[in-house]
Amino acid sequence: MIRGMADTAELMELMQRMGRRVRRVVGERMAECGMSLPLAAALRELDDPLPMSALAERLSCDASYVTGLADRLEERNLVERVPDPDDRRVKQLVLTDRGRAVRGDVEARLREGHAWVDRLEDGEVETLVRILRKALAE
């Protein structure tokens, strides 16, 4: 199937607009938790102890940026840096009890309804999720 340039251009424009809207809404909700988007994204990745280099990979950013995130999370007592049991040169980030509580608050706020999602029917939401998963698959 050959897609026309107008279709591709419109799709890209709509995705950019949706991305801006999602960032704005999520940013507002994270601010209610006292978190920035990058800090909240980092917290959401820390289910288990995670090397800082692996967090950088998951967040698609430079390792030096993760160092700054880790500093800010540690200052807030949300994470601890611990030596990797297999390589003491590597530092892993581990959620503190407070970090788990804040991450729970972050997750709860992300599950709250969004006006743009509420306009979609259940089947449309499921279809959109399926399409996005397929488009993002590597």
Side-chain angles (χ1 to χ4, degrees), residues 33-54:
C33 301
M35 300 293 290
S36 66
L37 285 172
L39 291 178
L43 273 185
R44 295 186 72 219
E45 294 295 334
L46 296 173
D47 292 324
D48 296 312
L50 188 67
M52 291 172 57
S53 59

Side-chain angles (χ1 to χ4, degrees), residues 61-138:
C61 66
D62 190 75
S64 64
Y65 183 71
V66 168
T67 300
L69 289 176
D71 289 344
R72 292 193 301 278
L73 290 169
E74 198 170 38
E75 288 167 4
R76 295 172 178 218
N77 192 32
L78 301 175
V79 301
E80 294 178 319
R81 291 179 185 153
V82 299
D84 185 306
D86 298 325
D87 186 347
R88 297 188 63 77
R89 297 170 296 170
V90 174
K91 294 295 183 191
Q92 293 185 333
L93 295 177
V94 178
L95 286 175
T96 62
D97 290 340
R98 185 175 181 329
R100 280 188 286 284
V102 170
R103 186 181 67 178
D105 191 24
V106 163
E107 294 291 339
R109 290 180 191 267
L110 290 174
R111 283 190 208 84
E112 292 173 1
H114 300 275
W116 63 269
V117 175
D118 294 343
R119 287 191 286 271
L120 301 175
E121 297 174 16
D122 289 343
E124 291 173 324
V125 172
E126 292 167 7
T127 299
L128 181 57
V129 167
R130 184 177 45 77
I131 290 168
L132 291 172
R133 283 183 180 152
K134 184 176 181 179
L136 293 170
E138 293 184 19

Side-chain angles (χ1 to χ4, degrees), residues 1-17:
M1 174 179 173
I2 298 175
R3 295 180 175 102
M5 290 301 290
D7 294 340
T8 301
E10 181 180 16
L11 175 62
M12 297 306 285
E13 172 61 25
L14 291 170
M15 290 178 71
Q16 287 174 345
R17 287 175 53 199

